[in-house]
Amino acid sequence: MEHRGIDAAEQAAAMMTAAGMPRMPARALMALIAAPAGGYTAAELADRLGVSAGAVSGAVRYLQDAHFIRRLPTPGHRRDRYDLVVDAFHSVIMGNIPVYVQMADYVDKIGSEATDDAVAADRAATMSGFLRFMATRMPELVAEWEDIRAAE
């Protein structure tokens, strides 16, 4: 099997891990970016990453739950294939906007309960303000990205 972009994929996976994603899902995600049309089977992904099928199983489950990848049944075969959702980051960001708004509401409530602590109230106001800013700006940025892509 051809192993394209392994060094860059491992470096990108390390960055994703540093940003908070578990290591094996990050590695699988980056490997799937360079997957051939139709993606990889779990065995091919395990071979590419040099890990066990069990490690891949947990990673693809994590990535499916996060909506980064999709499972593609292969007619006539027992093994499914896994492929990157092309607009995965777009979808994840847009899907998280309601989470930012709800989190801001909770943080506001925490801040309002800290009436005798100005530092805590200010910390909460700063965090909720940022979350609301992101919830407002993300759709605008995504729309700008879509315009750029449409013009290419």
Side-chain angles (χ1 to χ4, degrees):
M1 175 185 316
E2 183 180 344
H3 295 282
R4 298 175 294 192
I6 289 180
D7 291 339
E10 289 297 329
Q11 290 170 340
M15 291 181 75
M16 295 291 290
T17 301
M21 181 179 273
R23 183 172 183 264
M24 191 52 58
R27 291 185 70 212
L29 178 65
M30 292 302 124
L32 285 166
I33 289 173
Y40 287 130
T41 64
E44 290 168 337
L45 196 52
D47 180 58
R48 177 179 170 87
L49 297 173
V51 299
S52 71
V56 168
S57 175
V60 296
R61 187 171 37 257
Y62 178 96
L63 293 170
Q64 283 181 281
D65 289 347
H67 307 286
F68 283 112
I69 68 169
R70 60 192 170 145
R71 182 175 50 196
L72 305 169
T74 306
H77 293 87
R78 291 181 11 170
R79 292 186 175 176
D80 291 329
R81 301 188 73 76
Y82 297 94
D83 202 7
L84 186 70
V85 174
V86 174
D87 63 350
F89 283 94
H90 171 280
S91 298
V92 168
I93 286 169
M94 293 302 289
N96 281 331
I97 289 170
V99 174
Y100 298 150
V101 173
Q102 185 67 59
M103 182 66 78
D105 291 345
Y106 287 134
V107 171
D108 281 341
K109 184 171 180 161
I110 294 166
S112 70
E113 293 170 357
T115 56
D116 60 341
D117 189 339
V119 172
D122 184 56
R123 184 182 310 127
T126 299
M127 181 182 280
S128 68
F130 177 74
L131 290 167
R132 284 198 174 82
F133 172 80
M134 294 301 290
T136 301
R137 287 297 310 219
M138 284 306 210
E140 295 168 359
L141 291 170
V142 168
E144 183 179 337
W145 169 247
E146 289 168 347
D147 290 345
I148 289 169
R149 293 283 298 167
E152 290 178 345

